[in-house]
Amino acid sequence: MKILLPPSEGKTPSSSGPTLDLDSLSAPELTTKRKRVLAALKKVSKRRDALEQLGVGASLTEDVERNTVLDEIPCAPALLTYSGVLYEAMGASVLVAQSEDDAQLRERLHDVHIFSALFGRVHGLDHIPAYRLAMKTDLGTLGKLTSYWKPILAKSCSLDPAEVALDCRSSDYRSVWPGPTDQVVTMGAVSVSSGKRRVVSHWAKFYRGEFAGRLLSADRALPDTVEDLVARAEEYYEVEFGAATKSKPANLMIVLRD
């Protein structure tokens, strides 16, 4: 089983650790492509109009300045570098700490794939720096990064025929590699109050992270079919399941009632 995650917009800079070594990251076939994006990002981040080019406000000036020295600053495992609702609900810091003495958990975290505008994708324990770059960004000569990465990841990403993937990504990151519709299960959340349904993006992030963390930390085998994944979700939540079609993957919807 694989778990597909989005990056967080905000990152946690590491105070210690190795500097960036692109050659040591998983999916080494992406190394050359990563170097191109890194070079372009550093160049854009040095411009006077860097904030505008990267689509961020003045409050993120320090983040953009950090982009210019990404290969000089300390790195940490990706699951510690990314932050926010999903990663907190997942218990990412606990999982990373426990994986130091748990070979099975370490292997599971290698199957957590985080999709990244800078790196294409990394696994949960790859060491990366805190950067500021969104997948929707147009990065000069490379163009929009969704268009840049899509054909590259189409060749790099795959699932074994008997494998299932829980897709916790947002649409920008899902678009660069949707995966096989019959093997991928997306996850969302909807609130139901007085008969009215409303999609809730904040809680969707929370429950995606919480469910991923429960799967990874469980002392039993991970689900290996869509049916097993749905059954596991039903142990924790009220869910609605939408089966896959030719054009769309299956969907698990967490139902939140008053």
Side-chain angles (χ1 to χ4, degrees):
M1 177 184 179
K2 288 186 172 59
I3 295 176
L4 314 179
L5 299 183
S8 57
E9 289 189 10
K11 320 289 190 301
T12 302
S14 180
S15 59
S16 62
T19 55
L20 179 62
D21 180 4
L22 290 174
D23 291 330
S24 73
L25 298 181
S26 58
E29 69 276 9
L30 300 179
T31 299
T32 301
K33 309 300 184 183
R34 290 163 173 160
K35 287 179 179 178
R36 290 188 65 195
V37 180
L38 178 61
L41 177 59
K42 291 173 68 175
K43 184 177 180 179
V44 167
S45 298
K46 292 176 181 177
R47 291 174 47 162
R48 290 184 177 181
D49 63 347
L51 298 179
E52 180 182 352
Q53 291 296 317
L54 295 175
V56 300
S59 63
L60 297 176
T61 298
E62 184 177 345
D63 287 15
V64 174
E65 289 176 348
R66 192 185 305 117
N67 281 347
T68 66
V69 291
L70 289 177
D71 49 3
E72 302 172 26
I73 61 177
C75 295
L79 285 172
L80 299 183
T81 300
Y82 296 116
S83 58
V85 173
L86 186 151
Y87 289 89
E88 291 174 8
M90 184 180 179
S93 60
V94 174
L95 291 171
V96 171
Q98 291 177 339
S99 72
E100 294 181 5
D101 301 312
D102 187 332
Q104 177 179 268
L105 179 55
R106 214 163 36 243
E107 183 177 343
R108 288 182 176 184
L109 297 186
H110 286 174
D111 283 332
V112 174
H113 289 185
I114 306 167
F115 286 71
S116 162
L118 177 53
F119 300 111
R121 65 177 170 95
V122 294
H123 70 51
L125 297 180
D126 275 330
H127 280 69
I128 62 171
Y131 64 92
R132 174 62 65 162
L133 182 65
M135 188 65 83
K136 61 185 178 182
T137 303
D138 188 323
L139 205 55
T141 57
L142 297 185
K144 194 172 182 180
L145 291 171
T146 47
S147 300
Y148 175 81
W149 282 117
K150 190 169 184 176
I152 296 168
L153 293 177
K155 296 178 181 179
S156 171
C157 297
S158 64
L159 294 175
D160 292 335
E163 196 171 30
V164 65
L166 174 65
D167 191 348
C168 301
R169 298 172 296 170
S170 54
S171 58
D172 280 346
Y173 292 89
R174 189 175 297 140
S175 68
V176 297
W177 187 71
T181 57
D182 59 343
Q183 292 177 263
V184 172
V185 180
T186 61
M187 190 173 183
V190 62
S191 67
V192 179
S193 179
S194 302
K196 296 182 179 179
R197 295 168 61 90
R198 182 170 61 90
V199 174
V200 282
S201 58
H202 173 86
W203 286 110
K205 292 179 183 179
F206 175 87
Y207 286 112
R208 287 168 183 157
E210 182 182 64
F211 185 43
R214 282 173 161 165
L215 291 173
L216 291 165
S217 61
D219 190 22
R220 53 176 164 163
L222 292 171
D224 57 7
T225 66
V226 171
E227 292 75 18
D228 287 345
L229 184 60
V230 173
R232 190 73 65 88
E234 289 174 336
E235 294 178 15
Y236 305 110
Y237 314 109
E238 179 183 348
V239 303
E240 295 175 349
F241 176 69
T245 66
K246 289 184 178 180
S247 60
K248 291 184 179 181
N251 178 256
L252 267 177
M253 188 68 71
I254 306 299
V255 180
L256 309 173
R257 299 186 186 274
D258 287 345

